[in-house]
Amino acid sequence: MRKISFLIFVFFLTSSFWMRVSGQSPAIDNFRSLQSYGQIPEDFLNSFRVSDPTTTEGKILVKSRKNSQGSEKFKVRSDYYMNELLTGGDVVFGDPIGAYVNKVADTLLATQPELRKQLRFYVTKSVAANAYASDAGIIFINIGLIARIKNEAQLAYILSHEIVHYVKQHNITIFLEEEKAYSRRNKNTEYQDLSVSEKLMRVNYRSKEIETIADHDGLAKYFANSPYDVNEVEGVFDVLLYSAYPFTNEPFNLSLFETKNMILPDYYLVDDVDKLKVDENEADSMSTHPNVRKRKEVIRALIDSIPEFGTQKFIHSQYEFNDVVAMARFEVLRQLIIDHQLIEALYCGASLLQEFPNNLFVKKCIAASLYGISAYKSKGETSDIMESYRNVDGEMAQVNFMVGKLNSRDLNIIALNYVWRLNNQFPGDEYIQSICDDLFHQLISENNVKQSFFYSKSLAQLRLEQAQQPAIPDTVVSTTRYRKKKATTVQKIDTTFTKFAFVDLLQDSSFVQDFHKWEQKNEDEKKIIEEAQNHSGPFPVHKTNEVKRKDRVPITRVVMSEPYTIKVDTRKRNQVKYQESVVSAARVKNMIMETSQMAGITVQLVDAVGLNADNVEEYNQMSYVNEYVVERFNQSEEGMLNSFCKSYIDTLMQKNQTKYLGWMGIASVQKKKPIGKLVIMSILPYLWPYTIYQFIVPKIHSTYYYVLFNVNTGKIVTAGATETRTDLHTDQMNSHIYDFMYKIKKTYEK
């Protein structure tokens, strides 16, 4: 029995080892998105309560003095922005990346357990290479930063730096410094005679001092007392130095799009690419951080003064670190697609595919990028997603060069070639199937390419057949110039590389059937258009297949994302009216629910209010809904692309028995009055009524937006925007929300 147990143990040990060596980690193979697991932490629950003015925490924020000063004012602002961050769904908890970060923090602060208890570490889905600490002990690490670090020691130093910011309460310090400089009520002698630019430089100087302290103390007080290698610290500043560029600068290989018979000509290879432009010693007088050279000098001097220090790049498993970085890069790739940064997504996806050649998620992201770029190219709108390769540094310039050189037809063929093969490899994926269909439609309907355009034989086969053809008879040679030219033309082979894209697929009956299906659909669409044009006149012919009004189904169920409500006063430096924004947001939610009931529409509002510790699934759904809305708004044209995020909210939509998702935004902006203009106008008596009115009434503009998406089609069903020259009054908000519900009620499902 012991022998059997030992053999089983050895089997699992060795299989796990080989899975790691071959890159077959389950977390990587099964990756879909970075999401939260387990129970919702108290930090989040408290923010959920703050966003509800009826709770104790919400009442405290609302009752805070509007004209609060100093640390009290900072607390109000901090609570508001923390609430916005934690209820927006971009912060995750219980995830593998966050778990790893917390393990590194445990190692870093092993000798300081009391400090460790005060700190909570979370990962955010931001692609920016950044980390930041709150005054409450919450430290956020962006996936964009984790995607770029080289080892665990670098992560440990980043955490050390942020811990110093928390311990010394640097956020409050810099806020109070800004208050001294810019507040009109606090006439500090140190700042009162300075110009605006001089004040900015002075505040930035103070900020740079704080960053230098965090660099120094992070190493001296925390990092140097850990087993981590201090020689890895300087590498962190290199990570920050290159943070404006993608997380990789590997050469882009065009073979990703090639097949045995379709080879891209050298014409699509850029001659040279510019090196990444970075300067360690760049001017930093207008920056909040010292330049990299100065930061490295401080760190190097400190390292040289430390007699003993650790030498470990990794304390925990290096395999786990590799998985964490890979997952961070996967999520960065996903966020790039959501943000429609499709060129960078294609470049990063191609780089990741070299490391994970069989990973479905990476292949799917490449397919999404190709599909999106092809759609923009077909519509002549690539300027919305890319710039000239001459303005791009590094190896990503090759992607810009290639996309710029390819015409819409050839790019469409390349995308369809990649996506159809991927769809054939993974036939159950709804998204891949949908973009494959869309690419067929683009090719046939928009680029006017038929199956006859493509060769079913390779170039070598065609040339062999050409060589084996009998010579043209003398009678043909002696005929007219027209027939001689015609005979010669028949023998010519078109070597356009995309004509050989489907040589092997044209032997595949399923591919041929798909092509015929979309050719037939295109012909049917043309006939419908021709019939409509032929019958256009004073007496239009009604279509026999038109659904009668009484047979149409009204929309009665809608999922609503959390409405965005904000009040801003541009006359002030801290422009957001925090308390009023929270109160207005709660009022809007209540009005939506009340008005929808009166209209006979069932609305499922997806927000964080009322969630308890066990509602992690609802929290993830809220995050996915917000991502869907962001993705839709990032398109240059409504319904232009099939949604990459749709599959993440399908369960929610099915649960609520609807395909409609609504979003609403309300913004109130108070602007500075043109006092000089009003003074001049006051000279003219006949303008006094208008001038007095302008002096008395605040200059406020309120804008109301709403939009209803059909999630199945990606189309906007209805949308509207209204602008008023008043504050957010209850009757106007009610009117706007009623207008939205009325539009929904008058819209019918087809």
Side-chain angles (χ1 to χ4, degrees), residues 171-334:
N171 285 346
I172 298 177
T173 301
I174 198 64
F175 176 83
L176 295 178
E177 192 70 23
E178 290 173 347
E179 286 289 289
K180 284 164 54 179
Y182 300 114
S183 176
R184 289 177 293 180
R185 295 185 179 183
N186 186 9
K187 293 295 184 181
N188 188 279
T189 55
E190 182 183 353
Y191 286 98
Q192 64 180 0
D193 296 326
L194 300 181
S195 66
V196 174
S197 61
E198 288 172 331
K199 288 180 180 180
L200 178 61
M201 291 180 67
R202 184 76 65 85
V203 171
N204 286 345
Y205 178 79
R206 181 71 176 117
S207 178
K208 285 194 281 287
E209 281 184 332
I210 286 174
E211 289 301 322
T212 301
I213 292 171
D215 287 344
H216 181 279
D217 288 6
L219 177 57
K221 294 185 177 181
Y222 305 110
F223 192 89
N225 296 320
S226 75
Y228 292 112
D229 186 357
V230 296
N231 291 310
E232 293 300 318
V233 172
E234 286 187 89
V236 173
F237 300 114
D238 290 329
V239 168
L240 299 177
L241 188 64
Y242 289 90
S243 61
Y245 297 104
F247 57 71
T248 180
N249 194 38
E250 295 292 323
F252 183 79
N253 194 346
L254 270 63
S255 63
L256 171 66
F257 311 122
E258 297 177 338
T259 65
K260 180 181 178 181
N261 298 297
M262 183 182 70
I263 308 297
L264 273 72
D266 291 345
Y267 173 75
Y268 297 104
L269 283 170
V270 65
D271 293 334
D272 194 15
V273 297
D274 293 333
K275 293 182 179 180
L276 300 179
K277 293 183 175 64
V278 294
D279 180 10
E280 285 191 353
N281 197 31
E282 66 179 350
D284 58 4
S285 62
M286 303 303 288
S287 172
T288 57
H289 289 59
N291 64 42
V292 169
R293 184 182 65 81
K294 293 176 183 176
R295 299 179 78 173
K296 282 185 175 181
E297 287 175 353
V298 171
I299 290 301
R300 178 45 59 187
L302 181 57
I303 290 174
D304 292 340
S305 68
I306 299 175
E308 294 183 7
F309 47 78
T311 59
Q312 300 295 314
K313 293 181 181 179
F314 298 93
I315 303 299
H316 303 284
S317 168
Q318 185 173 348
Y319 296 122
E320 185 179 6
F321 173 82
N322 293 339
D323 283 353
V324 162
V325 172
M327 284 186 282
R329 291 184 169 192
F330 284 6
E331 186 62 32
V332 166
L333 183 57
R334 181 172 170 272

Side-chain angles (χ1 to χ4, degrees), residues 678-743:
L678 293 177
V679 169
I680 294 173
M681 291 173 63
S682 65
I683 299 173
L684 305 174
Y686 63 87
L687 290 177
W688 283 355
Y690 175 80
T691 306
I692 293 171
Y693 175 82
Q694 291 296 325
F695 265 117
I696 296 174
V697 178
K699 187 178 181 182
I700 300 177
H701 288 244
S702 297
T703 309
Y704 303 82
Y705 305 91
Y706 63 75
V707 60
L708 184 70
F709 299 101
N710 183 326
V711 173
N712 288 356
T713 64
K715 299 286 187 181
I716 292 176
V717 178
T718 184
T722 306
E723 185 173 343
T724 64
R725 293 190 176 184
T726 59
D727 202 352
L728 298 183
H729 296 308
T730 300
D731 55 345
Q732 289 176 337
M733 287 194 289
N734 251 326
S735 175
H736 175 74
I737 295 169
Y738 178 79
D739 182 51
F740 186 23
M741 296 302 160
Y742 180 80
K743 289 279 183 68

Side-chain angles (χ1 to χ4, degrees), residues 527-537 543:
K527 288 180 181 178
I528 293 173
I529 293 172
E530 289 176 1
E531 289 178 4
Q533 291 175 342
N534 292 335
H535 292 97
S536 60
K543 299 176 185 177

Side-chain angles (χ1 to χ4, degrees), residues 342-494:
L342 300 175
I343 298 294
E344 186 173 345
L346 178 58
Y347 172 67
C348 292
S351 175
L352 286 171
L353 193 63
Q354 295 182 37
E355 187 176 356
F356 306 98
N358 300 314
N359 189 275
L360 172 59
F361 177 81
V362 175
K363 290 182 177 181
K364 189 173 178 178
C365 288
I366 292 173
S369 305
L370 276 173
Y371 158 67
I373 295 169
S374 175
Y376 277 94
K377 189 80 173 184
S378 292
K379 295 182 181 298
E381 299 176 3
T382 49
S383 59
D384 291 345
I385 58 168
M386 64 174 285
E387 54 186 329
S388 170
Y389 77 96
R390 295 183 181 88
N391 300 325
V392 179
D393 301 329
E395 296 293 339
M396 194 173 74
Q398 172 61 75
V399 185
N400 294 67
F401 181 81
M402 180 193 70
V403 172
K405 288 291 184 182
L406 285 166
N407 60 46
S408 62
R409 180 200 66 192
D410 290 344
L411 185 56
N412 193 169
I413 293 170
I414 288 172
L416 178 59
N417 177 62
Y418 183 90
V419 174
W420 197 92
R421 294 174 193 274
L422 185 62
N423 185 48
N424 200 38
Q425 185 180 359
F426 302 99
D429 192 291
E430 182 181 341
Y431 175 73
I432 298 175
Q433 177 65 62
S434 69
I435 64 174
C436 187
D437 290 343
D438 215 8
L439 286 166
F440 262 121
H441 181 267
Q442 282 180 30
L443 184 67
I444 297 168
S445 178
E446 297 180 22
N447 288 309
N448 300 313
V449 177
K450 297 184 178 180
Q451 184 183 328
S452 57
F453 171 83
F454 302 99
Y455 287 126
S456 59
K457 297 178 181 179
S458 68
L459 180 60
Q461 288 175 313
L462 293 175
R463 283 175 173 167
L464 180 62
E465 290 179 358
Q466 185 184 55
Q468 293 175 345
Q469 286 180 357
I472 300 173
D474 291 341
T475 53
V476 175
V477 174
S478 60
T479 55
T480 64
R481 291 171 66 186
Y482 169 76
R483 292 192 60 188
K484 180 179 178 181
K485 184 177 180 181
K486 183 178 180 182
T488 305
T489 303
V490 170
Q491 306 301 318
K492 187 177 180 180
I493 300 172
D494 187 345

Side-chain angles (χ1 to χ4, degrees), residues 30-35 334 337-338 360-361 364-365 368 428-435 617 620-629 631-632 641-655 658-659 661 710-714:
N30 302 322
F31 186 87
R32 288 186 70 246
S33 69
L34 192 63
Q35 63 177 10
R334 181 172 170 272
I337 294 172
I338 292 172
L360 172 59
F361 177 81
K364 189 173 178 178
C365 288
D429 192 291
E430 182 181 341
Y431 175 73
I432 298 175
Q433 177 65 62
S434 69
I435 64 174
E617 183 177 349
N620 285 327
Q621 288 291 353
M622 179 185 69
S623 175
Y624 291 141
V625 166
N626 292 341
E627 286 179 341
Y628 178 89
V629 173
E631 181 197 29
R632 295 291 85 187
L641 300 178
N642 292 334
S643 171
F644 187 72
C645 294
K646 175 183 176 296
S647 62
Y648 296 94
I649 64 171
D650 275 345
T651 302
L652 174 67
M653 305 305 291
Q654 291 167 7
K655 178 181 177 181
T658 184
K659 55 188 176 183
L661 174 66
N710 183 326
V711 173
N712 288 356
T713 64

